[in-house]
Amino acid sequence: MTNTDHTPLTEPVSPREIPDAAIAMLDVEGTVVGWTHAAEQLVGYSAGEVVGRSAAHVLPPAEDALSTSAFAEQCRAQDGWSGTVTVRHRDGHVINMTLRISRLWGQDAGTRWLVSVTDVGTLSSGASNGAVRESLLAHAPVGIAVYDPQLRCTWVNDVMERHDGTPRERRFGRRLRDSLPAVEAEALEVVMRQVLESGTTMVHEYRAWSSTDRRREHAFSASFFCLQGADGTALSVCAMSVDVTGNRRARERLAILSEAGTRIGSTLEVMRTGQELADLAVPLLADHAVVDLMESVPFGLEPSARIGTTSGRRPVLRRAGVASIDLGVLELPAVREEVIHVPPTSSFGAALRTGTSHLEAVLDTHAGPWVDHDPTRAQKVRDSGIHSLMVVPIRARRCVLGLAVFGRSEEQTPFQEDDLLLAEELVTRAALSLDNALQYARQRTAALTLQRDLLPHHVGGGAALDVASRYVPADMDHGVGGDWFDVIKLSGARAALVVGDVVGHGINAAATMGRLRTAVRTLADMELPPHELLTHLDDTVRRLSEEDADAPDQAPAAVGATCLYALYDPVTRRCTMARAGHPPPAIIDPQGRITFPDMPAGAPLGLGLGLVLFESVELELPEGTLLALYTDGLVESRDDDIDVGLDRLGVALAGPGSSLEDLCSHVIETLPTQAPADDVTLLLARTRGLEAAQVASWELPNDPAAVHAARQAAACQLSEWGLGHLVATVQLIVSELVTNAIRYGGGPICLRLIQHQVLTCEVSDSNTSHPRPRQPHIIDEQGRGLFLVAQLSRRWGSRSATDGKVVWAEQDLPSRAVAV
């Protein structure tokens, strides 16, 4: 039964071949009775903290896992368990691990459990052959024996008998020399004593005759672990041996797994990941491979059904990957992106429903329910010559994302269990990549939806401006940043232009951007001058920072922003602007001359510098002047100074005769070819001016008799504009506004009518107090004027002026109304 030449394997073992698995022994109640140094390194708990306590202390079950008692019962029924678990390290961080639980037998039919765990992160890195080896062999038949300090066998599993033919009853209380030749036994016991003395893990190879294959001698690789008690002393040594006779085959598989680490999941595109899995499997594992994903997965959505549940509808998949030694074979049943309907009673349907793999070593294409449901495809498979098949579900977080199917036709050897294990390893790696892609797609979709909702869907400058805009995110994968722009129509045909830049990228920056854009719109409706608006916005940003800092459940995020706010009046053709740490606008006059106005820079918003003073500048802009507002990503780069970017922008904007849309595209095309380091936002606006015939104004004395004169003047002007149907309404509004100005204002009064996209009626006076509507009592004789104005107008309001205030009201115009 044992080796006859008594020659031990003396090939040196590389340190990289030493497995990094953590080993623990549990009694029948699940209490830890033995602990290894590797386990302490992996999860942070020393033997003194673990031995004598329940294993659940170290391996707490996930929220959706079975209860401890149910899990123990499952292990007993299945003689062990293997799979992936999540373990919390002693310092609190989470580790994904592969776990294997094996039943051990002792004298008098006593039972213990040996637990082996390996960090999944080590497996996925591809950097350690030992870790990959441990992962692959964790599913192979592993012989386990535990020896006391005198090297007598105390616990053993059933696999050991298949390794060397010695029944477990003949092992208890005996040393290795009773089951192995003296030379082999002596070499192994030397290693075992070293393990007991040092506490380190060691590997040794030996030969023996397997009870399942007496025709040839087998090579075994044994890993030895020192099990420690609560006080850290060596209690026993655990030997885990694996048949490595097919060492060349195993190394080929390890090479496949190592290659999988670099070839599968190179991008976050789910369809490409499916094709990468198929390409890797052929011809290394199979002659043909197809990868089908659940129909929702290519669209970034998880399947709704969980493992073990049914949705009541026939599964529908979409082909994501096709590979074959003869592509013509697989293009006949289905091509990429084709929709696949899966018969629920087929092996494919069962794999989708249960999440378990299916191996048909010898494929019967003439029988079975899946043939009955799809005889056409069965005939095509029959014609292809595929004689052996593996169906492996692609699983992630209790969901089946799809199926990977592997077939052999040219290779006459049928698939075996170890082929299925390798296929499952490959599919697991692909599943991790697909799951990452799905999570990324969810976050990206949420961020893009947020930003799409927050940025203006359409910008228009009304009668004041022609506008066009572009936004180019620096992170083209996520497509989300903190830049924003806006065009806000204001009273009196005026329009405000805004460009801002929030620190950072991603969904948090987009959310902050949305809050600031809303704040700017609210402040703009208050008709504040640019410098006052930025002062209020700075206070808003600082308060947002303070609120985030006060949140107890999250780290404070850095909140900061720059902003440029410009206000243009087409009646006076004057533009007032202020900036908070933002680049100055570019101004191109009708003759094509470009300037960057010298205006106070201001401090960025939200820096908490105390009282921040912003200053407005006013410029007169001829009609047809081009304004370019932008973020620093347009003019700054990693390689060039900002002056180079400003010169490039000026040259791009100086091109004559281009529409604003074409000019926007041209400017963006001049950006450096490499990906921008920051988001790029560009807002172009070409000024318009209102004709003199579109504006009428009258100076009125501060005298009640002026009300009648104002009414008559307004009526005459409306008739001249062809708006006689508005005379009665506008006369009422003029009466109320002029009366209020005389009663509550002071100094000269001005009435102005502006005909643009709407009809605006403005009354100005020297009183800086703004009118406020109130609810009059039934017996009050006054207080109903503004209520009446609100009822007669599409909207109304007031704004500050240099020497007082302006109260205004708007009326809709018929579409046929044009300026005289």
Side-chain angles (χ1 to χ4, degrees), residues 476-609:
M476 295 302 294
D477 289 331
H478 291 84
V480 179
D483 283 13
W484 92 90
F485 62 92
D486 211 345
V487 180
I488 307 169
K489 297 178 184 178
L490 299 174
S491 64
R494 299 170 309 139
L497 299 170
V498 189
V499 168
D501 185 359
V502 174
V503 172
H505 303 283
I507 194 168
N508 291 332
T512 301
M513 172 270 291
R515 297 160 85 178
L516 294 187
R517 177 172 178 257
T518 301
V520 170
R521 278 193 160 262
T522 302
L523 294 170
D525 285 341
M526 296 171 61
E527 306 274 6
L528 296 174
H531 63 281
E532 290 187 23
L533 183 142
L534 291 181
T535 300
H536 286 286
L537 190 62
D538 177 67
D539 183 61
T540 299
V541 175
R542 281 188 283 134
R543 282 190 286 109
L544 290 177
S545 300
E546 293 169 359
E547 290 172 4
D548 291 341
D550 292 339
D553 56 343
Q554 63 183 15
V559 178
T562 63
C563 183
L564 172 64
Y565 184 83
L567 187 61
Y568 175 69
D569 187 342
V571 176
T572 64
R573 294 177 174 82
R574 301 190 71 81
C575 182
T576 307
M577 60 185 72
R579 59 181 177 137
H582 203 83
I587 300 178
I588 302 91
D589 66 18
Q591 289 72 43
R593 294 186 293 268
I594 184 169
T595 59
F596 293 91
D598 184 15
M599 53 186 297
L605 303 170
L607 294 185
L609 300 179

Side-chain angles (χ1 to χ4, degrees), residues 260 296 332 335 393 404 476 536 568 589 683 730:
S296 62
L332 290 174
V335 296
M476 295 302 294
H536 286 286
Y568 175 69
D589 66 18
L683 178 62
V730 172

Side-chain angles (χ1 to χ4, degrees), residues 68-129:
T68 303
S69 59
F71 180 68
E73 197 60 39
Q74 177 180 324
C75 289
R76 295 188 187 96
Q78 299 178 357
D79 235 13
W81 184 87
S82 64
T84 303
V85 296
T86 299
V87 176
R88 188 168 297 279
H89 191 276
R90 190 179 188 277
D91 63 13
H93 77 271
V94 173
I95 313 172
N96 292 324
M97 297 186 174
T98 58
L99 179 144
R100 179 183 181 126
I101 301 177
S102 306
R103 186 200 293 263
L104 302 182
W105 301 98
Q107 288 180 318
D108 302 325
T111 300
R112 284 193 176 178
W113 302 94
L114 194 81
V115 179
S116 172
V117 292
T118 306
D119 187 352
V120 171
T122 306
L123 305 180
S124 61
S125 67
S128 172
N129 289 337

Side-chain angles (χ1 to χ4, degrees), residues 620-640:
E620 185 169 351
L621 303 179
E623 184 174 2
T625 298
L626 181 65
L627 280 170
L629 282 68
Y630 52 90
T631 55
D632 53 8
L634 184 67
V635 294
E636 291 182 351
S637 68
R638 300 182 181 93
D639 303 323
D640 298 323

